[in-house]
Amino acid sequence: MADDHRHNGASAAPLPFLRFGPRPDRTTCTGWQEWQLTRGLFVPAPRLSRAEFDALSPRGRSVHNLHRTATHVNMRLLETPMSAAVVEVMRDRIDNNALRFGPGTRDGLMITGGGYQGKTETVCEACADFEDFWKNLCRQLNPAALPGTRDLFAPVAYCQTPVRSTPMALCEAILDFYHAPYGRNLRGMIRNVRASIRAHGTSVLLLDDITRLKMHREDDQDTLDLIRDLMSLDVTLVLIGVNIPRSGLLREGWFDPRTQQWVLPALKEGRSYNPDASTQTERRFDLIELAPFDTTTSVGTTAFVEHLAGIEDQLRLFDAEPGILTGGDMPEYLYRRTHGVVGLLRRLIEDACTRAIRTGLETITTDLLETINLGNVPDRDPGAGEIPDIDLTPESTKRPPKKRKRVRNTVFDDPGTPAAAEA
């Protein structure tokens, strides 16, 4: 009855797995540091047998079901071979820049990939780990503070690129992070941005959703110039965006005086009116791609199945037998539904677990997964490519394909298995 006492205790204290109030706003210094300090504190629901669950009071069962649901929507971020490669390059670059004494531009990073691929969370987790390390190294004190003061120490600053970007809008986003005054004009705002970064001892500046910059717009070109200007500070710039190579950030558009139009050159053959200017961004930033799982190789297939096993280990469904996600045809089905995109896979499993608890099914089946539509992707900007360009509808709603002879059964088949010819 210990669990029943825990779920039904007379204490008026709120349940520890519930959040009261808004989530931390990482676009502010206080919100970022709150998230950074509490991101690993969630305690999953205990693993109870059906008999132990049935022994609880009605309220205890309701609370435990709610705790199980919270566990599924707060599953820990699992490392993948792709994210590990990104983090390794990031930490090397951030550490090198933070230890550099000489003046000059600090090389930056661009993190690219498809929508829902987990770019933001991967980058934020890596930078949060760096912040832990850097603060401990500095004994929690801001080395940039003036003598006799203890200015707020913010080794990492996180900002989102405004949807309609201008140099002033970007300055406002950065100054909002520090709760700093704007200034009377653009020149004053840039001065305040520089002063805030220095005063808070910021080593890493994250700019998310950078592909909201449309390089055929003059304001956006000026914004990119401002971003490059910030690299002269003692800070590592990390730009996060969807499909950056096709966005124009690596080869800027230019104004053609003959046609009075902005031209966005092709990636391979484009030229700027100033040939050297078109490569400034490319030379100052290293581009790293966070790709989805690729099951065309045995290594990629193994990594995908191991990722499913990591998710499976966090499930709290009563009838979740070993192999619920990794056995039979389930890996193949999950890959077809999500195309190996980590965020879509996570959301599909979360929704399935919630529905399995609510309906009493207490397991995950393909029939259950077929009732879940991933097409409604909230809080994403279609114009910036933040919605995955793949078919997210359940397979049962698709038209059956025309029958044809197949060479291989599926990407998960043993290459040595003879092909099953179908008329």
Side-chain angles (χ1 to χ4, degrees):
M1 298 298 290
D3 290 313
D4 190 31
H5 175 73
R6 177 173 57 194
H7 290 313
N8 292 278
S11 172
L15 298 172
F17 59 87
L18 295 181
R19 168 172 289 279
F20 294 90
R23 295 179 296 173
D25 181 6
R26 293 189 297 202
T27 62
T28 67
C29 186
T30 53
W32 168 272
Q33 296 196 352
E34 179 186 354
W35 169 81
Q36 190 262 342
L37 292 172
T38 62
R39 70 190 192 281
L41 298 183
F42 179 81
V43 178
R47 297 180 185 273
L48 302 183
S49 65
R50 277 193 176 273
E52 292 172 324
F53 176 77
D54 292 339
L56 298 175
S57 67
R59 181 181 184 276
R61 290 194 292 269
S62 297
V63 171
H64 184 67
N65 283 341
L66 193 61
H67 197 175
R68 290 196 294 154
T69 301
T71 299
H72 296 145
V73 300
N74 290 284
M75 287 188 286
R76 67 182 184 275
L77 186 67
L78 297 176
E79 183 181 78
T80 67
M82 301 82 72
S83 66
V86 170
V87 171
E88 182 179 7
V89 176
M90 280 187 59
R91 284 306 305 267
D92 288 346
R93 176 58 50 81
I94 292 172
D95 289 348
N96 288 346
N97 285 347
L99 297 172
R100 193 181 303 277
F101 277 86
T105 300
R106 302 293 187 260
D107 294 332
L109 293 168
M110 286 185 175
I111 312 300
T112 186
Y116 250 68
Q117 192 53 53
K119 299 178 298 298
T120 297
E121 295 310 312
T122 297
V123 171
C124 286
E125 283 286 345
C127 290
D129 289 341
F130 166 78
E131 182 165 316
D132 284 334
F133 165 76
W134 201 246
K135 281 186 172 180
N136 290 333
L137 191 66
C138 298
R139 300 182 179 181
Q140 306 298 321
L141 297 176
N142 182 1
L146 296 174
T149 67
R150 295 186 63 182
D151 290 343
L152 184 63
F153 192 15
V156 178
Y158 172 83
C159 305
Q160 289 182 324
T161 306
V163 175
R164 182 67 179 181
S165 298
T166 65
M168 293 189 70
L170 180 61
C171 286
E172 289 175 357
I174 298 174
L175 293 171
D176 284 343
F177 179 85
Y178 297 108
H179 298 285
Y182 285 167
R184 295 182 178 181
N185 49 41
L186 177 58
R187 189 172 182 177
M189 296 179 77
I190 295 175
R191 182 171 56 250
N192 287 352
V193 166
R194 290 173 170 270
S196 296
I197 290 175
R198 289 195 180 99
H200 291 81
T202 301
S203 298
V204 184
L205 176 59
L206 305 179
L207 295 181
D208 203 354
D209 300 321
I210 195 63
T211 42
R212 290 178 177 176
L213 292 179
K214 310 301 181 186
M215 300 316 298
H216 63 280
R217 295 195 299 238
E218 185 176 3
D219 282 343
D220 291 13
Q221 294 239 343
D222 292 340
T223 303
L224 184 58
D225 288 338
L226 173 61
I227 292 173
R228 284 196 295 254
D229 183 62
L230 293 177
M231 297 178 73
S232 62
L233 297 173
D234 191 14
V235 64
T236 300
L237 270 176
V238 181
L239 312 182
I240 310 167
V242 175
N243 204 345
I244 290 177
R246 295 181 61 87
S247 68
L249 288 175
L250 297 181
R251 293 187 186 272
E252 300 91 355
W254 53 279
F255 184 77
D256 189 344
R258 297 171 299 176
T259 61
Q260 297 295 304
Q261 292 180 342
W262 286 91
V263 179
L264 187 63
L267 289 177
K268 292 183 178 180
E269 300 177 358
R271 291 185 177 180
S272 169
Y273 58 92
N274 182 347
D276 292 332
S278 65
T279 61
Q280 282 186 341
T281 309
E282 297 171 357
R283 292 173 181 173
R284 294 182 179 181
F285 289 90
D286 282 341
L287 182 68
I288 316 171
E289 182 176 7
L290 184 58
F293 284 99
D294 180 9
T295 59
T296 59
T297 65
S298 59
V299 174
T301 300
T302 300
F304 182 68
V305 175
E306 289 178 349
H307 186 75
L308 294 179
I311 297 176
E312 184 178 299
D313 185 59
Q314 301 181 67
L315 300 184
R316 295 296 190 270
L317 300 176
F318 292 132
D319 296 333
E321 300 292 335
I324 185 176
L325 300 180
T326 58
D329 295 332
M330 185 60 80
E332 174 191 347
Y333 173 86
L334 292 172
Y335 187 84
R336 288 202 308 266
R337 279 296 305 273
T338 64
H339 297 254
V341 177
V342 190
L344 293 177
L345 175 65
R346 183 187 183 102
R347 181 181 167 193
L348 181 64
I349 299 301
E350 287 177 2
D351 290 353
C353 288
T354 300
R355 195 161 298 182
I357 293 174
R358 178 173 53 82
T359 61
L361 181 63
E362 293 295 340
T363 190
I364 296 178
T365 64
T366 54
D367 289 340
L368 173 64
L369 294 170
E370 280 294 288
T371 66
I372 298 172
N373 190 347
L374 295 174
N376 180 23
V377 183
D379 301 327
R380 302 283 169 160
D381 181 7
E386 295 170 13
I387 296 180
D389 187 19
I390 56 180
D391 187 359
L392 301 177
T393 56
E395 294 188 345
S396 59
T397 64
K398 302 176 183 177
R399 294 182 179 179
K402 295 181 180 179
K403 291 184 177 181
R404 58 186 179 88
K405 187 175 181 179
R406 294 187 296 175
V407 178
R408 292 272 309 280
N409 187 15
T410 69
V411 295
F412 286 86
D413 284 342
D414 183 354
T417 303
E422 297 181 358

